Amino acid sequence: MDEMLELARGFYEDEYADSVLYAQLAKIEKDEEIRKEFMRLSNIESKHAKFWHDFIKRHGGEVPKPSVKRLTIFSVKLLRRVLGPGSVASLLEMGENSAIQKYFKYLTTYAERFSEDELREIKDVILDELEHEKFFYESKERFHVENTRDLVLGMNDGLVEILGAVTGLSAVYPNNPQLVGISGLIVGVAGALSMAIGTFVSVRSQRQIKESIRDRMEVLFRVSPERAAEELVEKLVEGGMPEEVAKEVARELADNSEAIMQLLLPKAEENEIRAALYTGFAYLLGVAFPVTPYFLASSSLTALPFSILLAGSALAIVATLISLLSGISIKKKVVEMVATGLGAAFLSYLFGRLMEVLFNVSAL
């Protein structure tokens, strides 16, 4: 079977699976508006699957038997229950963007082999996928998915930093696991406070800077609308818009100061207090995995492998979530994060051994 039909088979299977996924999400969604949207998307994906089914048959191909991706459905449902609808919206937006790119490449590569009706229908499929992506992007903004990012990255920092700390301390105090655990907790609490305060200051500063610039633009618009329009033209041209088109847009928006300011500087929606709380809590959650075994074991060297195992498992979960939220390879991200996290722990252990040899602190 040639590549065109092989790709179409994959599209058919993906659209069928997405139709089932959206229907399953609709069953557990409490927000009535989103539940109805999931059902509408399920019906549209079912229509797409039928198009690819008929397309394959018209071109003499064998239609594959569709399968339900149960692991994907379970994972997305779990993500929805644990991290909320924002994470699901981010994940699904990523999937829709991927589908758009694949369909566009397919359309431009094999256009000469399609009938006029097929060309039109494939373009309609792409337009539907673009509309889906827009819905998920808007849903993601509505549910503050940026705080999911704070949660995931804060937990990652807590895991890596405290795993390194307790691993190094295990070499220094092999017979005093509780001291290692207490030390890890102290460092973890200090780190959580530092991360939370840092996030608060960073997000607040960014918002204040944007608000200051918006105030400046509002004054500029009231004092000299012409100059404000010139700045809009400059930004649009920098973004790749032809100068004549940019000038026409500026003329059309000449009396709408809010629209001009929105184009020049979108509002910063992230809340610094919420971001700080998410980051600090997530950091403490990350601390719990490597520290807990030290309060249960009889020696630090006994607790160490369990600490590494728990932290490594948690790192793999965090890596998976980061991959789902950013669209990168899950396998590569898991290997990267687990390897770097455990690598840092190993180096910390070596450094701890060096300190123990140099200062004989384990005997203190």
Side-chain angles (χ1 to χ4, degrees):
M1 182 179 296
D2 66 24
E3 186 179 12
M4 185 188 82
L5 283 178
E6 189 62 34
L7 288 170
R9 285 165 59 91
F11 295 154
Y12 169 65
E13 292 174 326
D14 289 344
E15 296 288 5
Y16 180 89
D18 286 346
S19 175
V20 175
L21 173 61
Y22 292 144
Q24 290 294 318
L25 287 173
K27 290 181 179 180
I28 65 170
E29 183 55 57
K30 296 179 180 179
D31 187 300
E32 185 63 21
E33 179 183 346
I34 295 181
R35 189 189 68 79
K36 289 180 179 179
E37 188 63 25
F38 275 143
M39 284 306 303
R40 186 180 73 85
L41 295 181
S42 177
N43 292 332
I44 292 175
E45 299 291 30
S46 180
K47 182 186 72 173
H48 292 174
K50 184 178 186 308
F51 163 73
W52 289 114
H53 176 279
D54 296 342
F55 177 90
I56 295 167
K57 294 190 70 173
R58 280 197 304 272
H59 287 265
E62 182 180 351
V63 179
K65 182 179 179 180
S67 59
V68 177
K69 299 178 181 178
R70 299 189 186 279
L71 179 59
T72 300
I73 292 174
F74 172 79
S75 300
V76 174
K77 281 185 173 181
L78 181 62
L79 192 65
R80 166 64 182 84
R81 294 187 186 279
V82 175
L83 295 181
S87 300
V88 171
S90 181
L91 172 61
L92 296 177
E93 181 200 7
M94 175 197 75
E96 294 297 341
N97 182 61
S98 175
I100 291 165
Q101 297 301 321
K102 287 189 294 185
Y103 284 148
F104 181 72
K105 183 178 180 181
Y106 189 78
L107 177 64
T108 54
T109 303
Y110 302 106
E112 71 280 358
R113 297 179 60 178
F114 303 148
S115 68
E116 289 297 323
D117 287 342
E118 287 172 342
L119 278 172
R120 187 187 69 255
E121 289 191 68
I122 293 175
K123 289 178 180 178
D124 287 342
V125 169
I126 293 175
L127 289 174
D128 284 340
E129 300 295 343
L130 285 168
E131 189 272 332
H132 295 178
E133 185 188 22
K134 179 182 177 183
F135 165 73
F136 290 126
Y137 178 79
E138 291 172 349
S139 297
K140 184 176 70 171
E141 287 192 328
R142 173 184 174 186
F143 291 111
H144 307 295
V145 75
E146 70 276 1
N147 295 132
T148 301
R149 177 202 62 204
D150 296 328
L151 185 70
V152 171
L153 297 182
M155 183 176 175
N156 175 67
D157 287 343
L159 279 165
V160 174
E161 292 175 20
I162 304 306
L163 176 62
V166 297
T167 302
L169 289 169
S170 294
V172 179
Y173 301 109
N175 300 314
N176 199 337
Q178 287 193 337
L179 177 61
V180 174
I182 292 170
S183 300
L185 277 180
I186 293 172
V187 174
V189 170
L193 291 172
S194 175
M195 288 286 291
I197 292 170
T199 300
F200 176 86
V201 172
S202 174
V203 174
R204 186 177 180 84
S205 297
Q206 290 178 11
R207 182 172 59 80
Q208 288 174 333
I209 289 171
K210 286 191 174 184
E211 288 175 352
S212 176
I213 297 175
R214 284 179 63 85
D215 290 341
R216 169 190 168 274
M217 286 301 304
E218 186 171 0
V219 171
L220 178 61
F221 187 88
R222 295 185 184 282
V223 173
S224 177
E226 297 81 9
R227 179 55 189 153
E230 288 175 10
E231 291 202 15
L232 175 59
V233 170
E234 290 174 7
K235 180 167 183 178
L236 293 175
V237 171
E238 287 175 4
M241 183 178 291
E243 186 173 354
E244 289 304 315
V245 176
K247 288 181 178 179
E248 180 62 29
V249 170
R251 280 195 294 270
E252 290 293 329
L253 297 177
D255 297 324
N256 192 334
S257 61
E258 185 59 34
I260 290 179
M261 286 191 288
Q262 186 65 22
L263 284 170
L264 288 172
L265 191 73
K267 290 182 178 179
E269 300 293 343
E270 190 170 5
N271 182 284
E272 59 266 29
I273 296 176
R274 184 170 56 239
L277 290 174
Y278 269 76
T279 303
F281 171 77
Y283 191 99
L284 286 176
L285 183 62
V287 168
F289 290 94
V291 164
T292 300
Y294 289 91
F295 292 99
L296 304 175
S298 58
S299 76
S300 298
L301 296 182
T302 301
L304 180 58
F306 291 100
S307 176
I308 292 174
L309 179 62
L310 283 175
S313 301
L315 280 170
I317 294 171
V318 171
T320 301
L321 293 176
I322 291 175
S323 300
L324 292 175
L325 294 173
S326 58
I328 58 182
S329 168
I330 293 178
K331 182 179 179 180
K332 288 182 179 179
K333 194 63 182 177
V334 168
V335 171
E336 172 192 321
M337 289 187 62
V338 172
T340 54
L342 299 186
F346 177 70
L347 293 176
S348 298
Y349 181 81
L350 293 181
F351 183 74
R353 287 289 297 163
L354 177 62
M355 293 299 99
E356 192 274 334
V357 170
L358 290 177
F359 300 103
N360 196 29
V361 289
S362 62
L364 298 178

